[in-house]
Amino acid sequence: MEIDSSAISRCSVEHQKIYTEWFSVADSDGDGRVTGVDATNFFVMSNLARPDLKQVWAIADSKRQGFLGLKEFITAMQLISMAQAGHVLSSDLLNSDVDFENLKPPVMDGLDALLARKRRPKNEPESNGNSPLQTSPSASSSWFTSPKSAKKVPLTAVTSIIDGLKKLYIQKLKPLEVTYQFNDFVSPILTNSDFDAKPMVMLLGQYSTGKTTFIKHLLRSSYPGAHIGPEPTTDRFVVVMNGPDERSIPGNTVAVQADMPYSGLTNFGTAFLSKFECSQMPHPLLEHITFVDTPGVLSGEKQRTQRSYDFTGVTSWFAAKCDLILLLFDPHKLDISDEFKRVIASLRGNDDKIRVVLNKADQVDTQQLMRVYGALMWSLGKVLNTPEVMRVYIGSFNDKPINSVTAGPIGTELFEKEQEDLLSDLKDIPKKACDRRINEFVKRARAARIHAFIISHLKKEMPSMMGKAKAQQKLIDNLEDVFAKVQREQHLPAGDFPFVESFRERLNGYNFDKFEKLKPKLIQTVDDMLGYDIPDLLKNFSNPYD
């Protein structure tokens, strides 16, 4: 089970050289990215209908970055060539049996003249006339057009949706977080590496449910430092990511590297970092997805107390960063221990990312599998407090062939379809990564806004002179009433408020007198960002043919 590579890997070297030269022409500002304006001016030379060009962009920019790099540009050229040959454009066309290596470049009217002009020495005068690839006046106009915005970022300073989110965070959201200590209560300050990180998939489950084997099955090879066995073998959190060579990097080193999004893990101390490592290896799948392998969740109070770090806190931290969370079970380990309940509870707020995998399902026959599935859903129903039915994938995700003797013909067919569904879900992760970033950013902004109202309210309720300690303790004890009052006064949704107990625990270490009063200007800036700036960002970097 492996995610297919793009059509570029099947493009001949000769054609890649041609497309690279074309890319340098299409990339009007030389930043290595073909924006919507660049594409509009370049693709029109193909003489394709606008709906076809809209489909070309949608397929090439599958990650919704708002621009095309060289790989995506080559894919777009191949799609244009196929459209000119009469093919109906679809994303499945890239995975078809088309001979990409011998696929001729598309016919682009007027491109030869542009290439000749580009090759002309700089001191040679150009003929009269303007290049059709000149940036349109709208491209240099102001972006973030809200009349209330204190700062405006020019469109030329932003190259993608992710780049725009970085700038919005630094200029508009980060000041609010710093003022009201959001980083101490909820989540550390974001860095560039947090925005640039590849999508992550975390695997959780009890020991010997096949988490490490699952990753090995996807990669079709073992990653450095992987241990597989019937006993609890993986005793640490391992991030499996792409790298130039095979090596393992210790946790303390990973946490201080600026180009990796794991600096926030330093809050869990050296005890955790000694149980954390990064495993790098060159692999086409890891170019798009990073996997997080976790220690097996064990049963019993003894196992919990032996951990020298906050296990549920770490899983909660990774859950917020991940794009998909796989809970693995096997037919002989359906019981959910106390620690596993705490781990699943720590995933609250990330329910849309959770998928359940019933692994090693070919160890039981069809009748037993039906009963196992029912028992699993019953167990999950007691832990996952949600009205929706959780998606469960059933199969045997390892390198061995399906045990058809036990599974039978019906089970074998079922497992193959389930593997295809899970593979499809994994394929969609890179495509939906940009949407996930936007979703998480908006969620964070809403949380920071509510946090500011809570902190400023606690400050306002403190007496000016006598009885401060008593008043502070009273506010902590009656935190539910404080939340309810803030909700009524500011007309906020109750579902966006933090968990009372965890917030109460954190408040115990602070002096409310030192909290900041409410600063309406900071709140208004974030409101403008949510109401004007992010919609403008999505509009400017959407499909240019919409």
Side-chain angles (χ1 to χ4, degrees), residues 28-207:
S28 59
D29 55 2
D31 65 347
R33 301 178 179 188
V34 172
T35 62
V37 174
D38 293 335
T40 302
N41 291 323
F42 191 86
F43 290 0
V44 71
M45 292 187 286
S46 68
N47 294 322
L48 288 180
R50 190 176 182 88
D52 289 335
L53 294 178
K54 176 181 178 180
Q55 185 73 350
V56 167
W57 178 275
I59 298 172
D61 183 30
S62 61
K63 298 180 183 178
R64 291 193 70 244
Q65 300 176 106
F67 68 88
L68 304 181
L70 177 58
K71 290 182 179 180
E72 292 82 9
F73 179 79
I74 292 177
T75 298
M77 291 299 100
Q78 292 174 329
L79 289 168
I80 289 175
S81 179
M82 285 187 280
Q84 290 179 341
H87 289 276
V88 178
L89 296 179
S90 69
S91 56
D92 295 334
L93 197 58
L94 297 178
N95 296 321
S96 65
D97 55 358
V98 175
D99 186 4
F100 287 96
E101 189 166 350
N102 296 315
L103 181 67
K104 293 181 179 180
V107 177
M108 308 293 284
D109 288 347
L111 180 57
D112 290 340
L114 290 175
L115 292 171
R117 186 178 299 142
K118 187 174 181 64
R119 294 165 184 158
R120 184 182 296 118
K122 292 183 179 180
N123 56 0
E124 184 177 333
E126 293 189 12
S127 59
N128 292 332
N130 295 325
S131 165
L133 290 180
Q134 285 185 335
T135 305
S136 64
S138 62
S140 58
S141 62
S142 292
W143 186 41
F144 299 163
T145 55
S146 164
K148 299 179 181 179
S149 296
K151 294 183 180 180
K152 293 182 180 179
V153 181
L155 180 61
T156 52
V158 177
T159 58
S160 68
I161 289 178
I162 300 301
D163 189 42
L165 291 179
K166 288 181 190 176
K167 289 178 169 58
L168 284 174
Y169 178 73
I170 293 172
Q171 295 184 8
K172 301 198 172 187
L173 182 55
K174 187 177 178 180
L176 181 75
E177 292 186 359
V178 172
T179 300
Y180 297 101
Q181 305 176 61
F182 182 78
N183 55 303
D184 293 333
F185 280 84
V186 183
S187 177
I189 297 295
L190 297 180
T191 62
N192 285 343
S193 59
D194 290 307
F195 289 96
D196 296 330
K198 292 182 177 66
M200 287 196 293
V201 176
M202 180 169 64
L203 291 89
L204 286 171
Q206 301 183 79
Y207 74 92

Side-chain angles (χ1 to χ4, degrees), residues 279-483:
S279 182
Q280 289 187 337
M281 62 183 293
H283 195 281
L285 176 55
L286 296 178
E287 291 178 4
H288 305 285
I289 299 175
T290 296
F291 291 97
V292 182
D293 197 2
T294 62
V297 181
L298 301 170
S299 303
E301 186 70 13
K302 177 184 176 182
Q303 300 297 338
R304 187 187 71 82
T305 56
Q306 282 185 350
R307 297 195 193 273
S308 55
Y309 59 91
D310 182 5
F311 182 76
T312 54
V314 174
T315 55
S316 179
W317 186 92
F318 273 110
K321 302 281 185 182
C322 284
D323 294 72
L324 197 67
I325 302 167
L326 298 180
L327 296 180
L328 271 75
F329 295 85
D330 79 20
H332 304 105
K333 289 188 176 67
L334 296 180
D335 60 308
I336 299 179
S337 64
D338 292 341
E339 187 177 37
F340 204 3
K341 287 180 181 178
R342 286 190 291 269
V343 168
I344 295 176
S346 71
L347 304 178
R348 185 179 168 188
N350 300 288
D351 306 75
D352 58 317
K353 305 177 185 179
I354 299 175
R355 306 289 187 273
V356 178
V357 177
L358 179 56
N359 198 15
K360 304 180 182 180
D362 61 348
Q363 294 182 357
V364 295
D365 59 35
T366 306
Q367 184 182 21
Q368 291 174 324
L369 180 61
M370 180 180 65
R371 292 173 178 170
V372 165
Y373 181 81
L376 175 60
M377 298 304 290
W378 180 81
S379 298
L380 289 173
K382 296 179 66 176
V383 179
L384 294 170
N385 189 20
T386 173
E388 293 83 12
V389 177
M390 193 62 61
R391 178 65 169 96
V392 179
Y393 296 101
I394 304 172
S396 184
F397 302 96
N398 54 51
D399 296 330
K400 299 177 182 178
I402 295 174
N403 186 354
S404 57
V405 176
T406 305
I410 298 177
T412 303
E413 184 182 358
L414 171 67
F415 298 162
E416 289 174 351
K417 289 182 178 179
E418 290 288 286
Q419 287 209 14
E420 290 176 4
D421 287 349
L422 180 55
L423 177 59
S424 178
D425 219 350
L426 290 171
K427 277 183 180 179
D428 286 340
I429 293 174
K431 296 179 183 179
K432 296 178 179 178
C434 187
D435 293 329
R436 178 76 68 184
R437 291 279 189 277
I438 298 166
N439 183 62
E440 294 297 327
F441 186 84
V442 172
K443 188 192 299 184
R444 184 184 180 97
R446 290 166 61 92
R449 186 173 175 272
I450 287 179
H451 178 79
F453 283 126
I454 294 172
I455 294 297
S456 60
H457 181 83
L458 293 173
K459 167 73 174 179
K460 185 179 72 173
E461 293 295 312
M462 290 292 289
S464 57
M465 297 291 290
M466 305 291 290
K468 292 186 177 183
K470 186 177 180 180
Q472 176 168 325
Q473 189 57 48
K474 185 178 179 181
L475 287 170
I476 293 175
D477 293 339
N478 300 317
L479 196 57
E480 294 90 345
D481 296 335
V482 171
F483 282 10

